[in-house]
């Protein structure tokens, strides 16, 4: 239930605010820099869930996540992540990840323009109604 509420709030923020200006935590810069340092080629557009949850990737993600244990509240709480950055939160387009992993990917999507594509899509659909 809490994961769904979090997803709903996040989606509302994406539709209301320019994603490049959106701050998800007080330490977005640190999270983004470390994420891109460790996961240079990680595709944030459309997450390959099997790859991300593979044993090899878990070994990389585990120390990343643990690094934020004292820095991000509820860092390991289950959080819904959109698989396709241009899609809605729905059963087919979400996977459950630790909160810090959600933050890392969504901060990257904000900074690298992926969430701007979704915002534009939402804006178009609301003007067509």
């Amino acid at each position: 239930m809490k994961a769904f509420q979090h997803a709903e709030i996040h989606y509302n923020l994406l539709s209301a605010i320019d994603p490049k200006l959106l701050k998800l935590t007080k330490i977005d810069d640190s999270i983004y820099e470390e994420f891109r340092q460790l996961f240079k080629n990680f595709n944030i557009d459309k997450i390959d869930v099997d790859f991300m949850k593979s044993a090899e990737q878990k070994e990389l993600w585990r120390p990343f996540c643990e690094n934020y244990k004292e820095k991000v509240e509820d860092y390991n709480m289950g959080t819904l992540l959109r698989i396709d950055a241009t899609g809605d939160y729905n059963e087919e387009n979400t996977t459950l990840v630790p909160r810090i992993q959600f933050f890392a990917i969504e901060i990257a999507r904000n900074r690298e323009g992926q969430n701007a594509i979704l915002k534009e899509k939402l804006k178009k659909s609301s003007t067509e109604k």
Side-chain angles (χ1 to χ4, degrees), residues 98-114:
R99 189 172 192 207
I100 187 60
Q101 195 172 31
F102 164 86
F103 282 144
I105 293 167
E106 287 297 340
I107 290 166
R109 285 175 169 174
N110 288 344
R111 293 184 178 202
E112 296 173 21
Q114 292 308 311

mmCIF file with all atom_site columns, all heavy atoms in Angstrom, residues 98-114:
data_model
loop_
_atom_site.group_PDB
_atom_site.id
_atom_site.type_symbol
_atom_site.label_atom_id
_atom_site.label_alt_id
_atom_site.label_comp_id
_atom_site.label_asym_id
_atom_site.label_entity_id
_atom_site.label_seq_id
_atom_site.pdbx_PDB_ins_code
_atom_site.Cartn_x
_atom_site.Cartn_y
_atom_site.Cartn_z
_atom_site.occupancy
_atom_site.B_iso_or_equiv
_atom_site.pdbx_formal_charge
_atom_site.auth_seq_id
_atom_site.auth_comp_id
_atom_site.auth_asym_id
_atom_site.auth_atom_id
_atom_site.pdbx_PDB_model_num
ATOM 1   N N   . PRO A 1 98  ? 14.473 -1.569 -4.059  1.00 0.00 ? 98  PRO A N   1
ATOM 2   C CA  . PRO A 1 98  ? 14.743 -0.787 -2.847  1.00 0.00 ? 98  PRO A CA  1
ATOM 3   C C   . PRO A 1 98  ? 14.633 0.713  -3.158  1.00 0.00 ? 98  PRO A C   1
ATOM 4   O O   . PRO A 1 98  ? 14.936 1.158  -4.272  1.00 0.00 ? 98  PRO A O   1
ATOM 5   C CB  . PRO A 1 98  ? 16.192 -1.152 -2.486  1.00 0.00 ? 98  PRO A CB  1
ATOM 6   C CG  . PRO A 1 98  ? 16.477 -2.410 -3.222  1.00 0.00 ? 98  PRO A CG  1
ATOM 7   C CD  . PRO A 1 98  ? 15.613 -2.399 -4.441  1.00 0.00 ? 98  PRO A CD  1
ATOM 8   N N   . ARG A 1 99  ? 14.223 1.469  -2.192  1.00 0.00 ? 99  ARG A N   1
ATOM 9   C CA  . ARG A 1 99  ? 13.980 2.900  -2.375  1.00 0.00 ? 99  ARG A CA  1
ATOM 10  C C   . ARG A 1 99  ? 15.191 3.648  -2.951  1.00 0.00 ? 99  ARG A C   1
ATOM 11  O O   . ARG A 1 99  ? 15.042 4.489  -3.819  1.00 0.00 ? 99  ARG A O   1
ATOM 12  C CB  . ARG A 1 99  ? 13.574 3.515  -1.035  1.00 0.00 ? 99  ARG A CB  1
ATOM 13  C CG  . ARG A 1 99  ? 13.089 4.931  -1.134  1.00 0.00 ? 99  ARG A CG  1
ATOM 14  C CD  . ARG A 1 99  ? 12.530 5.376  0.192   1.00 0.00 ? 99  ARG A CD  1
ATOM 15  N NE  . ARG A 1 99  ? 11.799 6.618  0.038   1.00 0.00 ? 99  ARG A NE  1
ATOM 16  C CZ  . ARG A 1 99  ? 11.649 7.491  0.995   1.00 0.00 ? 99  ARG A CZ  1
ATOM 17  N NH1 . ARG A 1 99  ? 12.149 7.257  2.191   1.00 0.00 ? 99  ARG A NH1 1
ATOM 18  N NH2 . ARG A 1 99  ? 10.972 8.589  0.794   1.00 0.00 ? 99  ARG A NH2 1
ATOM 19  N N   . ILE A 1 100 ? 16.389 3.331  -2.495  1.00 0.00 ? 100 ILE A N   1
ATOM 20  C CA  . ILE A 1 100 ? 17.575 4.021  -2.989  1.00 0.00 ? 100 ILE A CA  1
ATOM 21  C C   . ILE A 1 100 ? 17.829 3.700  -4.462  1.00 0.00 ? 100 ILE A C   1
ATOM 22  O O   . ILE A 1 100 ? 18.289 4.551  -5.225  1.00 0.00 ? 100 ILE A O   1
ATOM 23  C CB  . ILE A 1 100 ? 18.836 3.738  -2.110  1.00 0.00 ? 100 ILE A CB  1
ATOM 24  C CG1 . ILE A 1 100 ? 20.018 4.601  -2.561  1.00 0.00 ? 100 ILE A CG1 1
ATOM 25  C CG2 . ILE A 1 100 ? 19.197 2.276  -2.110  1.00 0.00 ? 100 ILE A CG2 1
ATOM 26  C CD1 . ILE A 1 100 ? 19.797 6.085  -2.478  1.00 0.00 ? 100 ILE A CD1 1
ATOM 27  N N   . GLN A 1 101 ? 17.477 2.513  -4.888  1.00 0.00 ? 101 GLN A N   1
ATOM 28  C CA  . GLN A 1 101 ? 17.618 2.153  -6.305  1.00 0.00 ? 101 GLN A CA  1
ATOM 29  C C   . GLN A 1 101 ? 16.612 2.958  -7.138  1.00 0.00 ? 101 GLN A C   1
ATOM 30  O O   . GLN A 1 101 ? 16.952 3.469  -8.209  1.00 0.00 ? 101 GLN A O   1
ATOM 31  C CB  . GLN A 1 101 ? 17.402 0.647  -6.481  1.00 0.00 ? 101 GLN A CB  1
ATOM 32  C CG  . GLN A 1 101 ? 17.869 0.116  -7.807  1.00 0.00 ? 101 GLN A CG  1
ATOM 33  C CD  . GLN A 1 101 ? 17.821 -1.398 -7.852  1.00 0.00 ? 101 GLN A CD  1
ATOM 34  O OE1 . GLN A 1 101 ? 16.982 -2.037 -7.207  1.00 0.00 ? 101 GLN A OE1 1
ATOM 35  N NE2 . GLN A 1 101 ? 18.711 -1.986 -8.617  1.00 0.00 ? 101 GLN A NE2 1
ATOM 36  N N   . PHE A 1 102 ? 15.402 3.090  -6.621  1.00 0.00 ? 102 PHE A N   1
ATOM 37  C CA  . PHE A 1 102 ? 14.396 3.945  -7.259  1.00 0.00 ? 102 PHE A CA  1
ATOM 38  C C   . PHE A 1 102 ? 14.936 5.366  -7.397  1.00 0.00 ? 102 PHE A C   1
ATOM 39  O O   . PHE A 1 102 ? 14.869 5.975  -8.466  1.00 0.00 ? 102 PHE A O   1
ATOM 40  C CB  . PHE A 1 102 ? 13.103 3.938  -6.435  1.00 0.00 ? 102 PHE A CB  1
ATOM 41  C CG  . PHE A 1 102 ? 12.154 5.053  -6.768  1.00 0.00 ? 102 PHE A CG  1
ATOM 42  C CD1 . PHE A 1 102 ? 11.249 4.920  -7.803  1.00 0.00 ? 102 PHE A CD1 1
ATOM 43  C CD2 . PHE A 1 102 ? 12.184 6.244  -6.046  1.00 0.00 ? 102 PHE A CD2 1
ATOM 44  C CE1 . PHE A 1 102 ? 10.373 5.969  -8.119  1.00 0.00 ? 102 PHE A CE1 1
ATOM 45  C CE2 . PHE A 1 102 ? 11.324 7.286  -6.354  1.00 0.00 ? 102 PHE A CE2 1
ATOM 46  C CZ  . PHE A 1 102 ? 10.416 7.147  -7.394  1.00 0.00 ? 102 PHE A CZ  1
ATOM 47  N N   . PHE A 1 103 ? 15.465 5.926  -6.294  1.00 0.00 ? 103 PHE A N   1
ATOM 48  C CA  . PHE A 1 103 ? 15.992 7.293  -6.327  1.00 0.00 ? 103 PHE A CA  1
ATOM 49  C C   . PHE A 1 103 ? 17.099 7.424  -7.371  1.00 0.00 ? 103 PHE A C   1
ATOM 50  O O   . PHE A 1 103 ? 17.106 8.373  -8.152  1.00 0.00 ? 103 PHE A O   1
ATOM 51  C CB  . PHE A 1 103 ? 16.521 7.725  -4.957  1.00 0.00 ? 103 PHE A CB  1
ATOM 52  C CG  . PHE A 1 103 ? 15.459 8.114  -3.965  1.00 0.00 ? 103 PHE A CG  1
ATOM 53  C CD1 . PHE A 1 103 ? 15.616 7.814  -2.625  1.00 0.00 ? 103 PHE A CD1 1
ATOM 54  C CD2 . PHE A 1 103 ? 14.312 8.792  -4.354  1.00 0.00 ? 103 PHE A CD2 1
ATOM 55  C CE1 . PHE A 1 103 ? 14.652 8.185  -1.689  1.00 0.00 ? 103 PHE A CE1 1
ATOM 56  C CE2 . PHE A 1 103 ? 13.345 9.157  -3.427  1.00 0.00 ? 103 PHE A CE2 1
ATOM 57  C CZ  . PHE A 1 103 ? 13.514 8.853  -2.098  1.00 0.00 ? 103 PHE A CZ  1
ATOM 58  N N   . ALA A 1 104 ? 18.032 6.500  -7.391  1.00 0.00 ? 104 ALA A N   1
ATOM 59  C CA  . ALA A 1 104 ? 19.158 6.575  -8.334  1.00 0.00 ? 104 ALA A CA  1
ATOM 60  C C   . ALA A 1 104 ? 18.659 6.627  -9.777  1.00 0.00 ? 104 ALA A C   1
ATOM 61  O O   . ALA A 1 104 ? 19.087 7.481  -10.564 1.00 0.00 ? 104 ALA A O   1
ATOM 62  C CB  . ALA A 1 104 ? 20.095 5.389  -8.127  1.00 0.00 ? 104 ALA A CB  1
ATOM 63  N N   . ILE A 1 105 ? 17.742 5.747  -10.116 1.00 0.00 ? 105 ILE A N   1
ATOM 64  C CA  . ILE A 1 105 ? 17.250 5.664  -11.495 1.00 0.00 ? 105 ILE A CA  1
ATOM 65  C C   . ILE A 1 105 ? 16.371 6.863  -11.836 1.00 0.00 ? 105 ILE A C   1
ATOM 66  O O   . ILE A 1 105 ? 16.511 7.469  -12.907 1.00 0.00 ? 105 ILE A O   1
ATOM 67  C CB  . ILE A 1 105 ? 16.528 4.321  -11.725 1.00 0.00 ? 105 ILE A CB  1
ATOM 68  C CG1 . ILE A 1 105 ? 17.561 3.180  -11.644 1.00 0.00 ? 105 ILE A CG1 1
ATOM 69  C CG2 . ILE A 1 105 ? 15.792 4.309  -13.063 1.00 0.00 ? 105 ILE A CG2 1
ATOM 70  C CD1 . ILE A 1 105 ? 16.982 1.786  -11.544 1.00 0.00 ? 105 ILE A CD1 1
ATOM 71  N N   . GLU A 1 106 ? 15.478 7.249  -10.939 1.00 0.00 ? 106 GLU A N   1
ATOM 72  C CA  . GLU A 1 106 ? 14.593 8.383  -11.230 1.00 0.00 ? 106 GLU A CA  1
ATOM 73  C C   . GLU A 1 106 ? 15.337 9.721  -11.245 1.00 0.00 ? 106 GLU A C   1
ATOM 74  O O   . GLU A 1 106 ? 15.003 10.604 -12.028 1.00 0.00 ? 106 GLU A O   1
ATOM 75  C CB  . GLU A 1 106 ? 13.415 8.422  -10.260 1.00 0.00 ? 106 GLU A CB  1
ATOM 76  C CG  . GLU A 1 106 ? 12.384 7.340  -10.513 1.00 0.00 ? 106 GLU A CG  1
ATOM 77  C CD  . GLU A 1 106 ? 11.686 7.426  -11.867 1.00 0.00 ? 106 GLU A CD  1
ATOM 78  O OE1 . GLU A 1 106 ? 11.679 8.503  -12.511 1.00 0.00 ? 106 GLU A OE1 1
ATOM 79  O OE2 . GLU A 1 106 ? 11.134 6.399  -12.300 1.00 0.00 ? 106 GLU A OE2 1
ATOM 80  N N   . ILE A 1 107 ? 16.350 9.882  -10.408 1.00 0.00 ? 107 ILE A N   1
ATOM 81  C CA  . ILE A 1 107 ? 17.161 11.108 -10.462 1.00 0.00 ? 107 ILE A CA  1
ATOM 82  C C   . ILE A 1 107 ? 17.874 11.168 -11.808 1.00 0.00 ? 107 ILE A C   1
ATOM 83  O O   . ILE A 1 107 ? 17.910 12.220 -12.455 1.00 0.00 ? 107 ILE A O   1
ATOM 84  C CB  . ILE A 1 107 ? 18.163 11.156 -9.279  1.00 0.00 ? 107 ILE A CB  1
ATOM 85  C CG1 . ILE A 1 107 ? 17.409 11.384 -7.964  1.00 0.00 ? 107 ILE A CG1 1
ATOM 86  C CG2 . ILE A 1 107 ? 19.211 12.255 -9.499  1.00 0.00 ? 107 ILE A CG2 1
ATOM 87  C CD1 . ILE A 1 107 ? 18.238 11.123 -6.707  1.00 0.00 ? 107 ILE A CD1 1
ATOM 88  N N   . ALA A 1 108 ? 18.410 10.036 -12.252 1.00 0.00 ? 108 ALA A N   1
ATOM 89  C CA  . ALA A 1 108 ? 19.065 9.987  -13.568 1.00 0.00 ? 108 ALA A CA  1
ATOM 90  C C   . ALA A 1 108 ? 18.056 10.299 -14.683 1.00 0.00 ? 108 ALA A C   1
ATOM 91  O O   . ALA A 1 108 ? 18.365 11.043 -15.613 1.00 0.00 ? 108 ALA A O   1
ATOM 92  C CB  . ALA A 1 108 ? 19.711 8.622  -13.785 1.00 0.00 ? 108 ALA A CB  1
ATOM 93  N N   . ARG A 1 109 ? 16.856 9.756  -14.577 1.00 0.00 ? 109 ARG A N   1
ATOM 94  C CA  . ARG A 1 109 ? 15.822 10.040 -15.588 1.00 0.00 ? 109 ARG A CA  1
ATOM 95  C C   . ARG A 1 109 ? 15.468 11.523 -15.613 1.00 0.00 ? 109 ARG A C   1
ATOM 96  O O   . ARG A 1 109 ? 15.237 12.090 -16.677 1.00 0.00 ? 109 ARG A O   1
ATOM 97  C CB  . ARG A 1 109 ? 14.571 9.203  -15.311 1.00 0.00 ? 109 ARG A CB  1
ATOM 98  C CG  . ARG A 1 109 ? 14.716 7.753  -15.691 1.00 0.00 ? 109 ARG A CG  1
ATOM 99  C CD  . ARG A 1 109 ? 13.506 6.929  -15.286 1.00 0.00 ? 109 ARG A CD  1
ATOM 100 N NE  . ARG A 1 109 ? 13.558 5.599  -15.875 1.00 0.00 ? 109 ARG A NE  1
ATOM 101 C CZ  . ARG A 1 109 ? 12.692 4.630  -15.604 1.00 0.00 ? 109 ARG A CZ  1
ATOM 102 N NH1 . ARG A 1 109 ? 11.720 4.843  -14.736 1.00 0.00 ? 109 ARG A NH1 1
ATOM 103 N NH2 . ARG A 1 109 ? 12.804 3.451  -16.184 1.00 0.00 ? 109 ARG A NH2 1
ATOM 104 N N   . ASN A 1 110 ? 15.433 12.147 -14.447 1.00 0.00 ? 110 ASN A N   1
ATOM 105 C CA  . ASN A 1 110 ? 15.152 13.588 -14.386 1.00 0.00 ? 110 ASN A CA  1
ATOM 106 C C   . ASN A 1 110 ? 16.261 14.378 -15.060 1.00 0.00 ? 110 ASN A C   1
ATOM 107 O O   . ASN A 1 110 ? 16.008 15.253 -15.884 1.00 0.00 ? 110 ASN A O   1
ATOM 108 C CB  . ASN A 1 110 ? 15.017 14.061 -12.931 1.00 0.00 ? 110 ASN A CB  1
ATOM 109 C CG  . ASN A 1 110 ? 13.748 13.582 -12.270 1.00 0.00 ? 110 ASN A CG  1
ATOM 110 O OD1 . ASN A 1 110 ? 12.805 13.148 -12.916 1.00 0.00 ? 110 ASN A OD1 1
ATOM 111 N ND2 . ASN A 1 110 ? 13.725 13.636 -10.949 1.00 0.00 ? 110 ASN A ND2 1
ATOM 112 N N   . ARG A 1 111 ? 17.484 14.084 -14.726 1.00 0.00 ? 111 ARG A N   1
ATOM 113 C CA  . ARG A 1 111 ? 18.636 14.854 -15.208 1.00 0.00 ? 111 ARG A CA  1
ATOM 114 C C   . ARG A 1 111 ? 18.967 14.584 -16.665 1.00 0.00 ? 111 ARG A C   1
ATOM 115 O O   . ARG A 1 111 ? 19.492 15.458 -17.342 1.00 0.00 ? 111 ARG A O   1
ATOM 116 C CB  . ARG A 1 111 ? 19.851 14.577 -14.339 1.00 0.00 ? 111 ARG A CB  1
ATOM 117 C CG  . ARG A 1 111 ? 19.623 15.124 -12.943 1.00 0.00 ? 111 ARG A CG  1
ATOM 118 C CD  . ARG A 1 111 ? 20.793 14.970 -12.073 1.00 0.00 ? 111 ARG A CD  1
ATOM 119 N NE  . ARG A 1 111 ? 20.454 15.570 -10.779 1.00 0.00 ? 111 ARG A NE  1
ATOM 120 C CZ  . ARG A 1 111 ? 21.348 15.985 -9.923  1.00 0.00 ? 111 ARG A CZ  1
ATOM 121 N NH1 . ARG A 1 111 ? 22.620 15.888 -10.200 1.00 0.00 ? 111 ARG A NH1 1
ATOM 122 N NH2 . ARG A 1 111 ? 20.959 16.498 -8.778  1.00 0.00 ? 111 ARG A NH2 1
ATOM 123 N N   . GLU A 1 112 ? 18.676 13.383 -17.123 1.00 0.00 ? 112 GLU A N   1
ATOM 124 C CA  . GLU A 1 112 ? 19.029 13.006 -18.494 1.00 0.00 ? 112 GLU A CA  1
ATOM 125 C C   . GLU A 1 112 ? 17.863 13.149 -19.467 1.00 0.00 ? 112 GLU A C   1
ATOM 126 O O   . GLU A 1 112 ? 17.966 12.760 -20.625 1.00 0.00 ? 112 GLU A O   1
ATOM 127 C CB  . GLU A 1 112 ? 19.604 11.591 -18.495 1.00 0.00 ? 112 GLU A CB  1
ATOM 128 C CG  . GLU A 1 112 ? 20.908 11.514 -17.704 1.00 0.00 ? 112 GLU A CG  1
ATOM 129 C CD  . GLU A 1 112 ? 21.455 10.107 -17.527 1.00 0.00 ? 112 GLU A CD  1
ATOM 130 O OE1 . GLU A 1 112 ? 21.089 9.203  -18.311 1.00 0.00 ? 112 GLU A OE1 1
ATOM 131 O OE2 . GLU A 1 112 ? 22.247 9.911  -16.588 1.00 0.00 ? 112 GLU A OE2 1
ATOM 132 N N   . GLY A 1 113 ? 16.761 13.717 -18.993 1.00 0.00 ? 113 GLY A N   1
ATOM 133 C CA  . GLY A 1 113 ? 15.654 14.064 -19.886 1.00 0.00 ? 113 GLY A CA  1
ATOM 134 C C   . GLY A 1 113 ? 14.596 13.015 -20.130 1.00 0.00 ? 113 GLY A C   1
ATOM 135 O O   . GLY A 1 113 ? 13.633 13.271 -20.858 1.00 0.00 ? 113 GLY A O   1
ATOM 136 N N   . GLN A 1 114 ? 14.728 11.838 -19.558 1.00 0.00 ? 114 GLN A N   1
ATOM 137 C CA  . GLN A 1 114 ? 13.733 10.791 -19.797 1.00 0.00 ? 114 GLN A CA  1
ATOM 138 C C   . GLN A 1 114 ? 12.366 11.136 -19.208 1.00 0.00 ? 114 GLN A C   1
ATOM 139 O O   . GLN A 1 114 ? 11.340 10.868 -19.827 1.00 0.00 ? 114 GLN A O   1
ATOM 140 C CB  . GLN A 1 114 ? 14.219 9.450  -19.253 1.00 0.00 ? 114 GLN A CB  1
ATOM 141 C CG  . GLN A 1 114 ? 15.386 8.889  -20.002 1.00 0.00 ? 114 GLN A CG  1
ATOM 142 C CD  . GLN A 1 114 ? 15.123 8.831  -21.490 1.00 0.00 ? 114 GLN A CD  1
ATOM 143 O OE1 . GLN A 1 114 ? 14.098 8.341  -21.934 1.00 0.00 ? 114 GLN A OE1 1
ATOM 144 N NE2 . GLN A 1 114 ? 16.048 9.364  -22.269 1.00 0.00 ? 114 GLN A NE2 1
#
